[in-house]
Amino acid sequence: MANHKVVCWDCGADVSDPYVNTCPKCGGLLTVKMDLEAVKEMKPADLHKTPLGVWRYAPFMPVDPAHKVSIQEGGTPLYKTEALGAEVGVPGAYVKFEGLNPTGSFKDRGMTIGVSHAKELGAKVVGCASTGNTSASLAAYATKANIKCAVFLPSGKVAAGKLAQALFFGAKVLSIDGNFDDALALARKMSEEKKLYLLNSINPYRPEGQKSVLFEIMDQLQYNIPDRIILPVGNAANIWAIYKACMELKEVGWIDKVPMLTGIQAEGASPVVKAFAAKKNDFIPEECPETVATAIRIGNPVSGRKALHAIYDTKGYATTVTDAEIIAAQQLLGRREGVCVEPASAASVAGLKKLREIGIIDRDEKVVCICTGNGLKDPDTIIANCPGVIKCGNSVAEVEKILLQN
Ligand SMILES: *Cc1c(COP(=O)(O)O)cnc(C)c1O
Ligand SMILES: [Zn+2]
C-alpha cells in the first residue's frame, strides 16, 4: 500500500528491501512512517462500525485489510480494578488484560499485521527468536496464512504453555544453545541471507499492530486520556509502539496530551532502567539477564533506544521490581481481581505499587497497567507459589472441618 514507507529511525533514509532489519546506510533502527492525511478528516467514532480490535484501526496500519490474516486479535477488556486500586492507593487504577488475545498475549496484535505483510510480500518461510510468546503467536498466524514457520528458542527457560502452542501449531521449534540474544542473532543471520522473513519486533511492521492497544484504551475510556500507562519492558517494542500510537493520535488531532509512559523491568534484567537512571539515551547490554518473568528476561533490548526516547518525551519513568514483588503482584491481581496474568505482566502492577509508595505516582492519577500475557502460559510458576492441594477424606464432616480452617 502506498500509505506508508519504511525509514531509518536514526538517519531518516528510505529503506526498501524488506529483508534488511537495520538501516543499510547507518545500521540504525527501522520504523514505519504512516501517511495520515486522510485520517485527519475523520473522528474516532467513524471507526466504530468495526468491532473493537486491531483491524478497527486499519487507517493507522501499513497493510491493506484485503490481505489480512486474522484470528480476531485485540478487543481485550479494560478493567476498572477497584480492589487493586484501594490496596495500592491509586483509586483510578485500570488493567488492560492482554492475556485474552487469541494466543494469550499482546504479541497477536503485532503478528496479525506482520504476517499479513509477509503474505503481501509472498514470503515462503517466516521465523522469529522468542522467549515464548512471540513464537506461540507467530506459529498461529503462520499456520492461518499457510506459510512455513521456524522458531528459535533459548535452551531451557521457556514456559510450558508457550512451547506447547508453538509445537501445537506446527512450527519447526529449534532449541538454540544460548540465551534469547544468541537465538535472535541466528534468526537475524537467516533473514539477512533471505532464508526467512524475520518477525521479531525489530521488524517495523509488528509495532504498527501493537499500536492498537493504545487506540483501544482511548476508545474504552471515551478519550478521557489516562495520566499514565505502565507496562513491562523486555525488548522494548511495545512501549515504543504505544508511544508511536500517541504521536499519531496527536498528529491527526484526536488527542492533545499524552500519558506518561512508564516502563518496568525485572531487577535482574534492567538495561533500560539503568540507562534511565543515568539520564542516558543508550543502554549497556547485560550478559546474563535473570528473572522469574521469562518474557522480559532480555539483556540487549532491540528497541531499547526507542523506549528511552518514548519515556523521556512523555515525561514518563522507568524502574525495576524484584522477582518477589512480581510474584506478590501476580497473586494480588489473582486474589483481588480474579485476573490471572503471567509474571512479566505482573511487573506492571508491581511497578504501580512501588511507584506509588515512593511518591512518583500521585494518588489521584488515572493509571492503566498493561498486563501483557495470560497466567496459564506458565502454570509451573503459579503452582510453585500457591498452597498445595488439600488431602481430604471422603466425608461431609472432613470437608466441613477443612472449610472452617482459615
Ligand atoms: C513480549 C512480552 C513482553 C515484553 O514486550 P517488549 O515489547 O519485548 O518490551 C512483556 N510481557 C509479555 C507477556 C510478553 O510476551
Ligand atoms: Zn540510517
Side-chain angles (χ1 to χ4, degrees):
M1 259 176 93
N3 71 342
H4 74 281
K5 58 184 184 175
V6 175
V7 299
C8 174
W9 184 64
D10 289 288
C11 79
D14 286 359
V15 178
S16 54
D17 180 352
Y19 286 87
V20 304
N21 297 297
T22 47
C23 175
K25 285 218 177 88
C26 78
L29 296 166
L30 305 185
T31 188
V32 168
K33 177 91 192 72
M34 291 297 304
D35 175 357
L36 298 170
E37 281 312 305
V39 188
K40 289 180 182 166
E41 310 299 314
M42 301 166 73
K43 291 189 174 53
D46 295 339
L47 303 179
H48 290 179
K49 293 182 289 292
T50 312
L52 191 72
V54 175
W55 290 93
R56 170 181 281 188
Y57 309 100
F60 293 89
M61 298 296 156
V63 178
D64 185 340
H67 304 140
K68 81 173 163 199
V69 179
S70 170
I71 42 179
Q72 295 191 19
E73 45 294 314
T76 58
L78 180 69
Y79 302 125
K80 178 93 193 350
T81 44
E82 270 148 26
L84 171 68
E87 182 84 28
V88 302
V90 184
Y94 293 77
V95 163
K96 177 75 168 161
F97 186 29
E98 290 289 277
L100 294 183
N101 274 289
T103 76
S105 83
F106 76 85
K107 298 298 197 298
D108 294 343
R109 295 181 183 275
M111 280 310 170
T112 185
I113 298 298
V115 173
S116 297
H117 183 64
K119 211 174 152 199
E120 272 180 345
L121 290 171
K124 297 283 185 294
V125 185
V126 291
C128 69
S130 175
T131 61
N133 281 329
T134 299
S135 59
S137 183
L138 179 58
Y141 285 87
T143 205
K144 179 81 178 171
N146 199 18
I147 301 176
K148 190 177 270 193
C149 175
V151 306
F152 301 73
L153 302 182
S155 55
K157 305 277 181 174
V158 175
K162 306 175 186 181
L163 181 60
Q165 286 175 296
L167 292 166
F168 179 69
F169 291 127
K172 301 270 187 225
V173 178
L174 314 168
S175 173
I176 303 303
D177 187 18
N179 63 18
F180 170 82
D181 303 307
D182 301 317
L184 178 60
L186 179 58
R188 285 180 69 162
K189 212 161 150 213
M190 290 284 294
S191 166
E192 276 147 27
E193 295 183 17
K194 299 198 185 339
K195 302 241 185 332
L196 55 74
Y197 182 68
L198 186 67
L199 275 161
N200 274 95
S201 59
I202 195 167
N203 179 311
Y205 285 83
R206 265 190 50 203
E208 293 301 301
Q210 292 173 200
K211 292 185 306 194
S212 60
V213 73
L214 187 276
F215 299 148
E216 286 185 11
I217 290 168
M218 292 299 182
D219 268 339
Q220 288 168 312
L221 294 175
Q222 279 94 40
Y223 275 76
N224 294 306
I225 303 165
D227 298 298
R228 186 184 299 274
I229 294 181
I230 307 182
L231 68 157
V233 171
N235 264 309
N238 210 29
I239 194 166
W240 160 252
I242 289 167
Y243 172 74
K244 192 165 185 288
C246 290
M247 293 302 114
E248 291 181 2
L249 289 185
K250 238 178 137 177
E251 184 187 338
V252 301
W254 292 6
I255 61 173
D256 54 12
K257 70 161 205 177
V258 169
M260 295 176 274
L261 299 185
T262 301
I264 310 296
Q265 294 196 296
E267 203 172 68
S270 57
V272 172
V273 173
K274 288 192 186 103
F276 175 79
K279 300 189 167 65
K280 294 269 166 42
N281 295 317
D282 203 352
F283 62 90
I284 300 164
E286 292 178 8
E287 286 293 330
C288 301
E290 206 44 76
T291 167
V292 66
T294 51
I296 52 172
R297 186 172 163 261
I298 306 283
N300 187 12
V302 167
S303 301
R305 286 188 299 120
K306 287 177 171 175
L308 286 162
H309 176 76
I311 293 166
Y312 294 132
D313 196 41
T314 60
K315 304 193 165 39
Y317 204 80
T319 195
T320 57
V321 290
T322 64
D323 280 3
E325 288 168 332
I326 287 172
I327 296 300
Q330 183 188 30
Q331 295 194 337
L332 179 62
L333 210 46
R335 309 260 163 92
R336 303 304 300 274
E337 298 290 348
V339 176
C340 179
V341 306
E342 67 167 281
S345 313
S348 59
V349 174
L352 169 70
K353 184 166 186 288
K354 175 177 170 181
L355 293 178
R356 177 70 196 102
E357 279 165 9
I358 63 175
I360 299 292
I361 295 180
D362 290 337
R363 186 178 170 80
D364 60 4
E365 281 186 26
K366 179 165 28 182
V367 182
V368 177
C369 291
I370 300 190
C371 286
T372 43
N374 198 301
L376 294 179
K377 294 272 193 173
D378 189 1
D380 299 335
T381 302
I382 291 182
I383 290 169
N385 291 293
C386 283
V389 174
I390 302 163
K391 218 168 151 42
C392 177
N394 190 0
S395 80
V396 170
E398 265 207 56
V399 176
E400 275 195 304
K401 206 172 104 198
I402 290 166
L403 292 182
L404 281 173
Q405 297 163 2
N406 55 342

